[in-house]
Amino acid sequence: MTSKILVTENLTVSFDGFKALKNLNFSLEPGELRVVIGPNGAGKTTFLDVITGKVQPTSGRILFKGQNLRRQTEEQISRLGIGRKFQTPRVYLNLTCWQNLELSYHARKSVWGTLFPRPPRDERRHLGHLLEIIGLVPQAQSRAALLSHGEKQRLEIGMLVAQSPNLLLVDEPVAGLTDEETGKVGELLLTLAETHSILVIEHDMEFVRQIARQVTVLHEGTILCEGTIEQVQADPRVIEVYLGQPQE
Ligand code: ADP
Ligand code: MG
């Protein structure tokens, strides 16, 4: 048995012979906040796709809370407690913030939840607390369409948390946000890290500096190095792959 929340062992994903991930050995401690960085095409999105069951491993395996995810569907993996936030917000624009959270809260139909539904009073308290955490109490009754891009990102993170996952996978949460909004999303992830394991993929190095404790650098489908942000930024191999990238 392992005490890690997530482990990948020799994980390989091939697309028609092209290996997007090559023998990847990765692990995450319960309660850890990890940031994965890497140049375009490094395999970051594929890494999230294979954890969530969107693509299947070609070889190797993934263990979540010690359980092999082999042949589990996306739906099953999500019910096991892995929540994924995609890059663009997927909120219901015509519903209020509160209604969006309520929907997500009910979306997780576990057998346990159906047998022992929480009383409505508990639900209101729970969702109210969540609104505070995501900093959207004043917007509770506003339609999501009226939110700024950063507020939508925070709402969607709240919707993810409403489904009570143990592990949150967050793909580039601050792309296109202002500095102020970026700071707020960073604070939110730090708060959530007190109660969840979180894996964040990010490009924005300022943001990585704000939130990161441990950083994993992916390059050509394998781990180039791991360490604190200072350690990885000083690593000549990391400098080389970043400098070797065409400027956008
Ligand atoms: P990143 O998110 O780090 O930019 P990706 O995981 O999206 O990288 O992609 C890694 C590599 O795998 C890229 O070369 C990409 O072209 C390739 N790739 C990703 N998904 C597919 C797919 N469905 N079919 C074929 N090639 C793919
Ligand atoms: Mg990507």
Side-chain angles (χ1 to χ4, degrees), residues 39-40 219-220 236-248:
N40 284 332
H219 177 52
E220 295 180 349
R237 294 168 302 172
V238 176
I239 296 168
E240 193 185 323
V241 302
Y242 272 96
L243 290 181
Q245 249 202 318
Q247 300 300 307
E248 284 170 14

mmCIF file of all heavy atoms in Angstrom, residues 39-40 219-220 236-248:
data_model
loop_
_atom_site.group_PDB
_atom_site.id
_atom_site.type_symbol
_atom_site.label_atom_id
_atom_site.label_comp_id
_atom_site.label_asym_id
_atom_site.label_seq_id
_atom_site.Cartn_x
_atom_site.Cartn_y
_atom_site.Cartn_z
ATOM 1 N N PRO A 39 7.545 23.391 -21.502
ATOM 2 C CA PRO A 39 7.265 24.075 -22.764
ATOM 3 C C PRO A 39 6.072 23.462 -23.498
ATOM 4 O O PRO A 39 5.620 22.369 -23.156
ATOM 5 C CB PRO A 39 8.557 23.876 -23.571
ATOM 6 C CG PRO A 39 9.386 22.888 -22.841
ATOM 7 C CD PRO A 39 8.838 22.717 -21.465
ATOM 8 N N ASN A 40 5.583 24.181 -24.502
ATOM 9 C CA ASN A 40 4.475 23.663 -25.314
ATOM 10 C C ASN A 40 4.821 22.298 -25.865
ATOM 11 O O ASN A 40 5.938 22.075 -26.311
ATOM 12 C CB ASN A 40 4.190 24.602 -26.489
ATOM 13 C CG ASN A 40 3.446 25.830 -26.032
ATOM 14 O OD1 ASN A 40 2.716 25.775 -25.044
ATOM 15 N ND2 ASN A 40 3.647 26.935 -26.734
ATOM 16 N N HIS A 219 9.261 17.689 -19.914
ATOM 17 C CA HIS A 219 9.852 18.011 -21.204
ATOM 18 C C HIS A 219 9.840 16.757 -22.058
ATOM 19 O O HIS A 219 10.331 15.715 -21.626
ATOM 20 C CB HIS A 219 11.294 18.506 -21.006
ATOM 21 C CG HIS A 219 12.007 18.800 -22.294
ATOM 22 N ND1 HIS A 219 11.483 19.617 -23.259
ATOM 23 C CD2 HIS A 219 13.205 18.382 -22.756
ATOM 24 C CE1 HIS A 219 12.329 19.694 -24.267
ATOM 25 N NE2 HIS A 219 13.365 18.957 -24.002
ATOM 26 N N GLU A 220 9.253 16.855 -23.246
ATOM 27 C CA GLU A 220 9.162 15.717 -24.164
ATOM 28 C C GLU A 220 8.656 14.459 -23.468
ATOM 29 O O GLU A 220 9.185 13.365 -23.641
ATOM 30 C CB GLU A 220 10.517 15.476 -24.841
ATOM 31 C CG GLU A 220 10.889 16.655 -25.736
ATOM 32 C CD GLU A 220 12.224 16.490 -26.444
ATOM 33 O OE1 GLU A 220 12.969 15.563 -26.103
ATOM 34 O OE2 GLU A 220 12.501 17.300 -27.339
ATOM 35 N N PRO A 236 20.375 24.151 -15.265
ATOM 36 C CA PRO A 236 20.776 24.455 -16.646
ATOM 37 C C PRO A 236 19.908 23.755 -17.697
ATOM 38 O O PRO A 236 19.646 24.312 -18.762
ATOM 39 C CB PRO A 236 22.218 23.932 -16.732
ATOM 40 C CG PRO A 236 22.676 23.708 -15.336
ATOM 41 C CD PRO A 236 21.465 23.568 -14.469
ATOM 42 N N ARG A 237 19.420 22.548 -17.372
ATOM 43 C CA ARG A 237 18.580 21.831 -18.357
ATOM 44 C C ARG A 237 17.257 22.553 -18.567
ATOM 45 O O ARG A 237 16.714 22.602 -19.668
ATOM 46 C CB ARG A 237 18.314 20.394 -17.873
ATOM 47 C CG ARG A 237 19.548 19.527 -17.826
ATOM 48 C CD ARG A 237 19.255 18.241 -17.077
ATOM 49 N NE ARG A 237 18.795 18.521 -15.716
ATOM 50 C CZ ARG A 237 18.315 17.603 -14.878
ATOM 51 N NH1 ARG A 237 18.224 16.351 -15.255
ATOM 52 N NH2 ARG A 237 17.912 17.938 -13.663
ATOM 53 N N VAL A 238 16.725 23.125 -17.479
ATOM 54 C CA VAL A 238 15.452 23.851 -17.581
ATOM 55 C C VAL A 238 15.667 25.125 -18.387
ATOM 56 O O VAL A 238 14.883 25.452 -19.282
ATOM 57 C CB VAL A 238 14.893 24.183 -16.178
ATOM 58 C CG1 VAL A 238 13.625 25.023 -16.290
ATOM 59 C CG2 VAL A 238 14.628 22.903 -15.395
ATOM 60 N N ILE A 239 16.750 25.826 -18.071
ATOM 61 C CA ILE A 239 17.059 27.068 -18.793
ATOM 62 C C ILE A 239 17.180 26.764 -20.287
ATOM 63 O O ILE A 239 16.615 27.452 -21.131
ATOM 64 C CB ILE A 239 18.356 27.699 -18.245
ATOM 65 C CG1 ILE A 239 18.124 28.113 -16.783
ATOM 66 C CG2 ILE A 239 18.802 28.874 -19.112
ATOM 67 C CD1 ILE A 239 19.374 28.482 -16.013
ATOM 68 N N GLU A 240 17.844 25.664 -20.598
ATOM 69 C CA GLU A 240 18.044 25.309 -21.998
ATOM 70 C C GLU A 240 16.728 25.027 -22.729
ATOM 71 O O GLU A 240 16.503 25.537 -23.820
ATOM 72 C CB GLU A 240 18.964 24.096 -22.092
ATOM 73 C CG GLU A 240 19.467 23.875 -23.503
ATOM 74 C CD GLU A 240 20.284 22.592 -23.594
ATOM 75 O OE1 GLU A 240 21.023 22.287 -22.636
ATOM 76 O OE2 GLU A 240 20.150 21.912 -24.625
ATOM 77 N N VAL A 241 15.830 24.234 -22.110
ATOM 78 C CA VAL A 241 14.596 23.920 -22.849
ATOM 79 C C VAL A 241 13.708 25.148 -22.980
ATOM 80 O O VAL A 241 13.016 25.318 -23.977
ATOM 81 C CB VAL A 241 13.783 22.726 -22.274
ATOM 82 C CG1 VAL A 241 14.610 21.473 -22.220
ATOM 83 C CG2 VAL A 241 13.141 23.031 -20.945
ATOM 84 N N TYR A 242 13.739 26.043 -21.987
ATOM 85 C CA TYR A 242 12.924 27.250 -22.115
ATOM 86 C C TYR A 242 13.517 28.234 -23.105
ATOM 87 O O TYR A 242 12.815 28.837 -23.897
ATOM 88 C CB TYR A 242 12.683 27.902 -20.755
ATOM 89 C CG TYR A 242 11.452 27.334 -20.090
ATOM 90 C CD1 TYR A 242 11.541 26.309 -19.154
ATOM 91 C CD2 TYR A 242 10.187 27.786 -20.452
ATOM 92 C CE1 TYR A 242 10.405 25.763 -18.577
ATOM 93 C CE2 TYR A 242 9.038 27.238 -19.886
ATOM 94 C CZ TYR A 242 9.162 26.229 -18.949
ATOM 95 O OH TYR A 242 8.037 25.692 -18.399
ATOM 96 N N LEU A 243 14.848 28.388 -23.069
ATOM 97 C CA LEU A 243 15.475 29.326 -24.008
ATOM 98 C C LEU A 243 15.426 28.778 -25.425
ATOM 99 O O LEU A 243 15.386 29.532 -26.389
ATOM 100 C CB LEU A 243 16.927 29.612 -23.605
ATOM 101 C CG LEU A 243 17.089 30.436 -22.334
ATOM 102 C CD1 LEU A 243 18.560 30.689 -22.050
ATOM 103 C CD2 LEU A 243 16.333 31.754 -22.434
ATOM 104 N N GLY A 244 15.400 27.448 -25.536
ATOM 105 C CA GLY A 244 15.380 26.822 -26.849
ATOM 106 C C GLY A 244 14.026 26.920 -27.530
ATOM 107 O O GLY A 244 13.879 26.569 -28.688
ATOM 108 N N GLN A 245 13.033 27.417 -26.764
ATOM 109 C CA GLN A 245 11.683 27.510 -27.327
ATOM 110 C C GLN A 245 11.552 28.714 -28.241
ATOM 111 O O GLN A 245 12.069 29.777 -27.907
ATOM 112 C CB GLN A 245 10.694 27.710 -26.188
ATOM 113 C CG GLN A 245 9.794 26.542 -25.956
ATOM 114 C CD GLN A 245 8.537 27.004 -25.228
ATOM 115 O OE1 GLN A 245 8.588 27.809 -24.312
ATOM 116 N NE2 GLN A 245 7.429 26.480 -25.645
ATOM 117 N N PRO A 246 10.859 28.574 -29.376
ATOM 118 C CA PRO A 246 10.638 29.747 -30.218
ATOM 119 C C PRO A 246 9.832 30.792 -29.441
ATOM 120 O O PRO A 246 8.922 30.442 -28.690
ATOM 121 C CB PRO A 246 9.828 29.204 -31.396
ATOM 122 C CG PRO A 246 9.496 27.780 -31.084
ATOM 123 C CD PRO A 246 10.265 27.359 -29.883
ATOM 124 N N GLN A 247 10.201 32.071 -29.570
ATOM 125 C CA GLN A 247 9.471 33.128 -28.877
ATOM 126 C C GLN A 247 8.093 33.282 -29.516
ATOM 127 O O GLN A 247 7.970 33.273 -30.733
ATOM 128 C CB GLN A 247 10.237 34.441 -28.955
ATOM 129 C CG GLN A 247 11.620 34.371 -28.315
ATOM 130 C CD GLN A 247 11.551 34.019 -26.840
ATOM 131 O OE1 GLN A 247 10.843 34.653 -26.081
ATOM 132 N NE2 GLN A 247 12.262 32.978 -26.428
ATOM 133 N N GLU A 248 7.063 33.434 -28.652
ATOM 134 C CA GLU A 248 5.698 33.596 -29.179
ATOM 135 C C GLU A 248 5.393 35.057 -29.453
ATOM 136 O O GLU A 248 5.942 35.915 -28.817
ATOM 137 C CB GLU A 248 4.691 33.016 -28.187
ATOM 138 C CG GLU A 248 4.681 31.508 -28.245
ATOM 139 C CD GLU A 248 3.857 30.889 -27.107
ATOM 140 O OE1 GLU A 248 3.102 31.605 -26.452
ATOM 141 O OE2 GLU A 248 4.017 29.679 -26.881
#
